[in-house]
Amino acid sequence: MRGLVRDYVGQAVAEEWPMMAHREVTLKATPPALAEALHLVVAMNPQGPGQESVQREIIVTLEQALDARRQRIIVSLAAVNSVKWWCLYLQAVCALAVIGLVHCDNRLASAIAMGLFATGVATSVLLIAAHDRPFTGQISVSPEPLRQIMPEEAARRT
């Protein structure tokens, strides 16, 4: 079981993570290591209520791992569509025009208000763009939590 978990984590880090960054991964195929682990646990013949309980918990945990994978893939394929971007830009231009018209008699106040609002809009656009593709860029989601649960090589042999 540890070897299968290790194989899955290795495959997810080495293959799936780069594919999620490029939006090339699909939900069509189940990872072979997780599928094999699930089959292994289901095929076990528990000897008593304690082992039955452990078997159920392992199955639930493997299903949670599959669900977490599905969620990661769904998030990696999601994107902010162009209609939302254009609405944000249009709203910003309209607000800048209104600020300019309200303060047209005082150029300094107009410049300060428009500059502050434009800075806020630019910050919002930057934040949305940075989180639009969560598996790429400086603030990307890394596979480090998966690496942390990888069973040690020494434990694999025991």
Side-chain angles (χ1 to χ4, degrees), residues 60-76:
V60 167
T61 302
L62 289 172
E63 288 173 346
Q64 287 173 345
L66 285 168
D67 186 54
R69 176 184 176 268
R70 277 190 292 273
Q71 293 302 318
R72 280 193 310 271
I73 291 172
I74 289 169
V75 167
S76 75

Side-chain angles (χ1 to χ4, degrees), residues 21-34:
H22 295 102
R23 295 183 174 165
E24 297 171 347
V25 69
T26 65
L27 290 169
K28 292 181 183 176
T30 302
L34 274 185

